[in-house]
Amino acid sequence: VKVRKKVNEMEPYVPGKSIKEIAEKYGLREEDIVKLGSNENPLGPSPAAVRAMEEELESVNRYPESGLQDLRETVADYSGVDAEQVIIGGDGADEIIEVLGKTFMDPGCEFVVPMPSYMYYEYTLQSHDARPAYAVWNVEENRLELDSVLESLSDSTRLVFLCTPNNPTGGLIDKEDIRAVLESTDALVVVDEAYFEFAGVNNVDLLPEYENLFIMRTFSKVMGLAGMRIGYGLGSPALIEYMHRVKPVFSLTRLSHAAALATLNDREYIRRSAEYSIKSREFLYRELKKFDNIRVFRSYANYLLLDIRDTGKRASELAEELLKRGVIVRDCTSFKGLDEYWIRVSVGTLREDRKFLEVLAEIV
Ligand code: PMP
């Protein structure tokens, strides 16, 4: 068969390994593995979400709701916008990126993405024949280089991705910098707030002022539903209407729909999850500071970025040694803008943090 030229040239995207894969590869028991590789909620899902999914099981012979009006209203209430400003993605926020691609990308168009940042923007948009224009995330100072974003804008720019807190560095983008970008372009500025609950700040207040602002979020982090694949986006009603024209109609399963509603109605779970991960993050940060051959960066999310070059090991080696001992972290070598000496570690339960610290101390 003859696939598209673009697809022929693409490399597959390789996400982090699962607990099952690691257990098999290293001969470990699944229950002994500490997974700190994908920035998930370590406390498990909301019990209300589990009950809601159990109840919904009997209805899975029926297609999902396609309008999702109740969920859009509940997300709107949680976020402080109107229901017609909400779009739900059934393959997580990653589906929202795909829908943005289908809505905005003509062949030859450009999108701006700082480096290092979330890799999936570029991976998804390359199949739309779009060109990346790279801006700079200053890792040392953990802040966006605003000028580099402004300089990357051109007449062909259709999308600008600003991730705050930024994955994998954990730094925040100043609201004034977001404003400056919004005012410098007609392109859609996509502010990725996947981790905003751990930062305690967000940019929803800018939505009424800027038609070219879109905010993207997920149920995979503080909401504890990474396995259910639910994301959402907030924008102007006109933008959301365009995006619905190209969104897959039934991508949100009945179980995901039920789980999302139940979790949003369990505000106490969301609050407790955020509070726990923040406490755990600060513990892990303090403990990592005590290693004299590791540099740890301040983070506003549920992960920490580590510079491990002074250990004399590459990230791939260190990650492999941790894996053998049952701890999964993210080797950041594939992130554009980082060399081969960076590790990202998710914040776990305090017990998981301690196991990571013990194992790390044995290796470095
Ligand atoms: N944005 C950022 C910054 C992320 O880190 C992630 C998850 N790794 C996503 C978006 C996508 O989240 P999901 O597809 O699980 O909703």
Side-chain angles (χ1 to χ4, degrees):
V1 295
K2 259 197 172 159
V3 301
R4 286 172 51 211
K5 182 164 172 289
K6 192 76 214 176
V7 175
N8 194 30
E9 291 162 359
M10 278 172 68
E11 299 277 338
Y13 183 83
V14 187
K17 287 198 176 58
S18 69
I19 290 180
K20 192 159 177 277
E21 287 170 315
I22 299 297
E24 277 168 18
K25 183 163 177 201
Y26 295 94
L28 301 164
R29 296 191 315 173
E30 286 190 29
E31 56 272 30
D32 292 338
I33 292 177
V34 169
K35 183 165 188 258
L36 302 175
S38 303
N39 309 334
E40 297 143 338
N41 183 330
L43 300 178
S46 152
V50 175
R51 278 196 305 277
M53 287 190 275
E54 280 166 359
E55 279 167 27
E56 194 61 27
L57 275 174
E58 288 181 13
S59 307
V60 297
N61 58 313
R62 302 293 175 198
Y63 279 96
E65 303 294 323
S66 62
L68 302 173
Q69 196 53 27
D70 53 355
L71 182 53
R72 289 175 74 194
E73 279 167 18
T74 310
V75 167
D77 180 53
Y78 176 71
S79 307
V81 300
D82 297 329
E84 61 267 34
Q85 292 182 271
V86 177
I87 185 166
I88 310 287
D91 181 20
D94 290 343
E95 178 174 304
I96 301 286
I97 303 170
E98 180 63 38
V99 171
L100 287 169
K102 284 186 177 175
T103 308
F104 284 92
M105 286 304 170
D106 286 319
C109 283
E110 292 184 6
F111 59 95
V112 174
V113 53
M115 310 184 298
S117 192
Y118 186 46
M119 301 282 287
Y120 208 84
Y121 311 133
E122 189 177 351
Y123 166 70
T124 301
L125 295 179
Q126 61 176 333
S127 71
H128 292 274
D129 268 331
R131 274 196 312 273
Y134 298 112
V136 179
W137 186 278
N138 181 329
V139 177
E140 286 303 317
E141 295 172 22
N142 212 353
R143 62 173 179 82
L144 181 71
E145 290 286 358
L146 175 63
D147 288 347
S148 76
V149 177
L150 301 181
E151 285 158 17
S152 305
L153 297 169
S154 80
D155 290 343
S156 312
T157 310
R158 290 281 174 86
L159 296 170
V160 180
F161 288 93
L162 300 178
C163 187
T164 178
N166 188 45
N167 180 4
T169 62
L172 283 174
I173 303 177
D174 287 344
K175 202 181 281 285
E176 288 317 305
D177 288 358
I178 295 174
R179 258 183 209 285
V181 179
L182 284 161
E183 286 173 9
S184 304
T185 181
D186 294 334
L188 189 75
V189 178
V190 180
V191 174
D192 186 345
E193 292 188 349
Y195 301 94
F196 85 97
E197 285 100 338
F198 305 107
V201 292
N202 70 72
N203 295 284
V204 168
D205 60 317
L206 296 179
L207 280 170
E209 278 183 68
Y210 298 99
E211 273 192 354
N212 61 334
L213 171 61
F214 181 73
I215 294 176
M216 198 171 85
R217 294 177 174 175
T218 178
F219 281 75
S220 300
K221 309 301 169 187
V222 81
M223 306 276 188
L225 291 171
M228 298 312 294
R229 310 301 303 123
I230 311 153
Y232 63 97
L234 313 171
S236 74
L239 167 67
I240 297 297
E241 197 274 321
Y242 278 123
M243 290 177 71
H244 275 110
R245 296 182 193 184
V246 293
K247 188 188 113 70
V249 180
F250 289 126
S251 62
L252 193 77
T253 70
R254 282 194 168 275
L255 296 189
S256 299
H257 184 173
L261 273 177
T263 303
L264 280 176
N265 288 325
D266 188 358
R267 294 288 171 93
E268 182 53 24
Y269 164 85
I270 302 171
R271 196 193 57 75
R272 241 185 314 112
S273 294
E275 194 179 275
Y276 186 90
S277 284
I278 292 167
K279 189 176 75 180
S280 183
R281 174 184 77 206
E282 296 310 307
F283 166 73
L284 199 52
Y285 179 83
R286 278 195 309 276
E287 293 300 313
L288 283 163
K289 273 274 178 205
K290 297 178 185 166
F291 286 74
D292 55 13
N293 52 2
I294 289 179
R295 280 201 312 152
V296 53
F297 289 74
R298 266 255 142 259
S299 167
Y300 295 88
N302 65 342
Y303 48 82
L304 295 165
L305 184 68
L306 313 180
D307 174 354
I308 57 134
R309 75 195 62 238
D310 290 344
T311 66
K313 294 180 198 292
R314 286 173 204 275
S316 55
E317 294 169 307
L318 186 63
E320 172 96 14
E321 289 182 42
L322 287 167
L323 276 183
K324 283 184 197 152
R325 294 164 173 83
V327 179
I328 308 176
V329 298
R330 180 69 197 250
D331 159 15
C332 292
T333 306
S334 62
F335 278 87
K336 283 207 173 72
L338 291 178
D339 64 15
E340 59 269 56
Y341 297 101
W342 302 85
I343 293 266
R344 190 194 66 199
V345 58
S346 307
V347 170
T349 60
L350 291 167
R351 194 188 59 79
E352 290 171 325
D353 297 348
R354 283 195 198 96
K355 165 140 184 193
F356 163 69
L357 291 163
E358 275 167 30
V359 169
L360 185 68
E362 285 170 23
I363 300 172
V364 306

